[in-house]
Amino acid sequence: MSLLLSKANIGGLNLKNRVVMSPMCMYEVKNEDGILTPFHFAHYGMRAISQVGLIITESTAVEPDGRITKNDLGLWNDQQADKLKSLVNSIHYLGSKIGVQLNHAGRKASDADIPVAPSSFEFSDNYRTPNALTIPQIQQIVENFGKAAKRAANAGADMVEIHGAHGYLLHQFLSAVSNKRDDEYGGSLEKRYRIVREVIEAVKSNYSGPIWIRLSLSDYDTTGTQNTMSDWQQIGRWLEASGIDLIDASTGGLTDASPDFPVHDGYQTKFATEMKQDVKIPVSTVGLLDNPGLCEYILQNNQADLIMEGRALLRNTNWLSDAAKYLHDKNFKAFNDSYSRGQN
Ligand SMILES: Cc1cc2nc3c(=O)[nH]c(=O)nc-3n(C[C@H](O)[C@H](O)[C@H](O)COP(=O)(O)O)c2cc1C
């Protein structure tokens, strides 16, 4: 029996295996209303039928101007929450767990009337210059994370993931590359972390289930102001103290800088492993983990606690049954007998 396809308990969340569908924007919302469509029910349902243990929805905005594009999901009103509840029920019917990734895109909100950010610096030449947030505006965004978490709770979501990675608003605050503030939300690492702490508190007071956070553990930036791994580990310890249940370790997205090393299978796992050395809470890994043998190796060697699959699941909805064959795991159960007969 493989570790990849065996049960896990992550901060109280029981999972039937260690494969998580990584959040991926599908840009399939219609009418700019942030509401799930039949596309999403089919898209996530297919992955539940394929036995993914946990599905994390694509980036779901906590307010309209926090969307990456107008075709993103949102969770700022009850209509959106009602549809989410139906999706949660469908995924539970199919035997998987489902969580929601809450996000504010900040300066990367490409369709916002006026993008906002910690400081008034654009992401790149193709993006507009954001307005620097005032303190009351920051407090409003924090409150909106809390309200969205309440809607996720009412919808029955199994977990909530705070998006603190890929250059979106919370990541923009965490990094001195994008945060040049000199008030209580900028300057030292602790001050740059402040909004994240407040968002966690707001989520926690509205949602009692597991709370995860996605972080980019490298900015691939060479300007000298980027967070070092020991800065990220300090943030990891604060997150642990704040009661976060898992750190979802990704990288990049803050600037258009790319890795200065070859991008190979499992290239982001070393960041997860370094984080794991410093915190007791579980850490997941993501990024070019298409090979189930590599996933099993990572888990067996305690380099990460869960495996997130993104594009591999988009390309191949049978990824888990293929992984079971590859790993000679006889315990893997397909959704029903017809599905398993189909494989043999
Ligand atoms: C189409 C697409 C959309 C994505 N959208 C999101 C997103 O909404 N939130 C997020 O945290 N990551 C997002 N990502 C990143 C993935 O979750 C994942 O970290 C990345 O694709 C690397 O994993 P992979 O090699 O298994 O695809 C997206 C990736 C793709 C390909």
Side-chain angles (χ1 to χ4, degrees):
M1 186 170 186
S2 63
L3 259 183
L4 183 66
L5 298 173
S6 61
K7 290 180 187 160
N9 181 304
I10 301 290
L13 180 63
N14 285 313
L15 298 175
K16 63 181 173 185
N17 57 52
R18 289 175 168 79
V19 182
V20 177
M21 181 176 184
S22 200
M24 282 177 289
C25 283
M26 291 287 110
Y27 311 111
E28 279 292 336
V29 165
K30 302 297 173 204
N31 311 318
E32 303 180 3
D33 59 10
I35 300 178
L36 290 153
T37 70
F39 169 87
H40 299 97
F41 281 72
H43 167 69
Y44 293 120
M46 276 158 76
R47 275 75 201 187
I49 289 174
S50 82
Q51 301 295 321
V52 169
L54 171 70
I55 290 165
I56 306 182
T57 66
E58 61 205 82
S59 165
T60 300
V62 301
E63 57 178 59
D65 279 350
R67 287 176 290 186
I68 304 164
T69 76
K70 285 186 170 158
N71 300 317
D72 293 2
L73 292 177
L75 205 45
W76 63 82
N77 68 41
D78 292 342
Q79 241 186 315
Q80 295 160 342
D82 285 349
K83 211 44 146 204
L84 178 64
K85 188 172 189 169
S86 305
L87 179 68
V88 169
N89 290 341
S90 306
I91 298 302
H92 287 169
Y93 175 85
L94 297 170
S96 296
K97 299 272 165 82
I98 178 165
V100 181
Q101 186 185 54
L102 296 181
N103 191 22
H104 190 298
R107 68 180 185 175
K108 287 173 91 174
S110 50
D111 287 338
D113 291 338
I114 306 161
V116 293
S119 307
S120 192
F121 298 100
E122 63 274 16
F123 170 71
S124 73
D125 292 346
N126 299 327
Y127 283 72
R128 284 170 299 154
T129 307
N131 281 354
L133 285 160
T134 63
I135 289 183
Q137 286 174 321
I138 293 175
Q139 288 163 346
Q140 185 61 58
I141 290 174
V142 169
E143 197 182 316
N144 289 342
F145 267 94
K147 287 182 175 166
K150 191 173 195 80
R151 294 198 168 92
N154 292 339
D158 297 298
M159 54 77 84
V160 162
E161 176 168 272
I162 297 166
H163 200 346
H166 301 169
Y168 297 115
L169 186 72
L170 299 182
H171 187 185
Q172 291 159 31
F173 270 93
L174 286 173
S175 176
V177 174
S178 42
N179 182 347
K180 311 281 186 198
R181 299 178 75 94
D182 55 11
D183 61 5
E184 57 261 48
Y185 289 94
S188 67
L189 185 65
E190 193 168 7
K191 287 180 171 175
R192 300 199 304 275
Y193 174 72
R194 181 184 174 126
I195 187 173
V196 175
R197 182 165 49 73
E198 292 178 349
V199 163
I200 294 169
E201 283 162 10
V203 170
K204 261 185 136 18
S205 54
N206 286 286
Y207 179 79
S208 57
I211 304 169
W212 298 11
I213 188 164
R214 178 165 268 202
L215 294 178
S216 286
L217 299 185
S218 175
D219 293 336
Y220 304 121
D221 187 80
T222 48
T223 56
T225 53
Q226 72 277 15
N227 290 335
T228 61
M229 184 43 86
S230 68
D231 292 331
W232 288 116
Q233 287 168 327
Q234 173 60 68
I235 289 171
R237 291 192 293 274
W238 286 330
L239 291 168
E240 183 165 31
S242 296
I244 283 288
D245 294 286
L246 175 140
I247 295 172
D248 168 2
S250 186
T251 69
L254 185 71
T255 68
D256 46 14
S258 52
D260 56 359
F261 54 82
V263 172
H264 52 77
D265 285 7
Y267 74 103
Q268 296 188 133
T269 300
K270 66 176 179 189
F271 299 100
T273 307
E274 284 186 63
M275 179 58 87
K276 234 181 115 47
Q277 283 157 4
D278 233 64
V279 294
K280 289 181 208 69
I281 51 174
V283 180
S284 64
T285 181
V286 68
L288 294 181
L289 297 169
D290 302 26
N291 183 326
L294 174 60
C295 299
E296 184 66 15
Y297 181 90
I298 289 168
L299 294 171
Q300 291 286 354
N301 288 286
N302 206 24
Q303 293 171 356
D305 300 282
L306 285 179
I307 303 289
M308 296 221 182
E309 293 292 343
R311 290 161 294 180
L313 290 175
L314 298 184
R315 289 189 208 106
N316 176 10
T317 38
N318 287 323
W319 189 86
L320 277 97
S321 62
D322 289 353
K325 267 192 233 169
Y326 186 96
L327 297 171
H328 303 281
D329 190 324
K330 302 258 186 293
N331 290 307
F332 177 77
K333 295 247 183 329
F335 183 69
N336 67 18
D337 282 350
S338 325
Y339 271 79
S340 50
R341 274 199 298 278
Q343 291 167 38
N344 297 324

